[in-house]
């Protein structure tokens, strides 16, 4: 079975690394992209006998490649074409986070939206409608409070669905088989 | 009713304002939108060092240069209580 690659993308300070550590169990090594000073962490996740490399991209507000972080995130998503991208969003500041989501959708990447920090959102009286968001964006939406370990099982289930080709936006996209 | 509109650079430290428009280039407007600065959002000026601003938008703090901040037009909402 081919190893899969999944990237974590999102604005700075939305909990990408918390989700990353939760997925990989903190067994991470730091990988330096050639010629870059900003680092991407990567780790391994075993999901129903499928080995998955999880890459924690630098936090960015856009993929416009105006800063080094944005360039690294954009290059990875566009050139390396990970099998899926987990877009981690701050549920308490959803509107500003969706700008990047729109750009990620435009790249054609298969997205899983992880609405993180739902505990903070709930404490502020915000109520979330993940089904409406999933329907509008045609991507699976998972509610999480990664710092408390909530939603991790749901995220893994969504990833397993996507990997198995049962995800929302999987069927209509031609699967690129990369042979190295 | 017409609330006064002023550039963000003139809002002053501690001011909470609502963004009403961007007067700069499309490029500047695009970048500001990426950072979450769109008309309608409220923001607070945390620091003003005379050449750049530290601005709180939601839970995010952004450093914005005077050049960019000058194109952000805002209307004052309230002044936070001065530190005791």
């Amino acid at each position: 079975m081919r190893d899969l690659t999944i990237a974590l993308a999102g604005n700075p300070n939305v909990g990408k690394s918390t989700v990353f550590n939760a997925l990989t169990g903190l067994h991470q090594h730091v990988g330096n992209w050639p010629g870059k000073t900003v680092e991407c962490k990567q780790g391994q996740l075993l999901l129903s006998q499928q080995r998955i490399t999880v890459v924690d991209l630098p936090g960015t507000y856009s993929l416009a490649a105006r800063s080094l972080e944005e360039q690294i995130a954009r290059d990875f998503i566009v050139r390396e074409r990970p099998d899926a991208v987990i877009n981690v969003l701050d549920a308490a500041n959803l509107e500003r986070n969706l700008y990047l989501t729109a750009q990620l959708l435009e790249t054609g990447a298969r997205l899983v939206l992880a609405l993180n920090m739902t505990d903070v959102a709930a404490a502020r009286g915000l109520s979330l409608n993940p089904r409406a968001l999933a329907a509008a964006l045609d991507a699976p939406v998972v509610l999480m409070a990664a710092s408390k370990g909530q939603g991790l099982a749901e995220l893994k289930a969504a990833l397993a669905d996507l990997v198995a080709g049962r995800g929302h936006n999987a069927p209509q996209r031609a699967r690129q088989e990369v042979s190295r | 009713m017409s609330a006064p509109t002023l550039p963000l650079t003139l809002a002053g430290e501690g001011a909470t304002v609502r963004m009403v428009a961007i007067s700069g280039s499309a490029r500047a407007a695009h970048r500001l939108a990426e950072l979450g600065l769109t008309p309608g959002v409220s923001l607070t000026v945390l620091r003003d060092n005379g050449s750049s601003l530290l601005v709180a938008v939601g839970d995010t703090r952004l450093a914005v240069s005077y050049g960019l901040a000058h194109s952000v037009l805002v209307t004052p909402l309230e002044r936070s209580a001065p530190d005791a």
Side-chain angles (χ1 to χ4, degrees), chain A residues 27-45:
Chain A
H27 298 304
Q28 60 186 29
H29 74 270
V30 175
N32 242 338
W33 262 238
K36 303 283 196 285
T37 50
V38 184
E39 294 164 329
C40 297
K41 281 176 283 181
Q42 59 181 48
Q44 300 292 328
L45 163 70

Side-chain angles (χ1 to χ4, degrees), chain B residues 12-14 44-50 52-55 61 83:
Chain B
E13 242 176 50
T44 304
V45 179
L46 300 174
R47 296 276 185 278
D48 180 349
N49 70 3
S52 58
L53 301 172
L54 181 64
V55 180
R61 290 171 178 206
D83 290 7

Side-chain angles (χ1 to χ4, degrees), chain A residues 90-93 116-128:
Chain A
D90 175 359
N93 295 278
N116 198 20
M117 304 188 183
T118 51
D119 50 338
V120 178
R124 291 189 193 162
L126 299 171
S127 73
L128 299 158

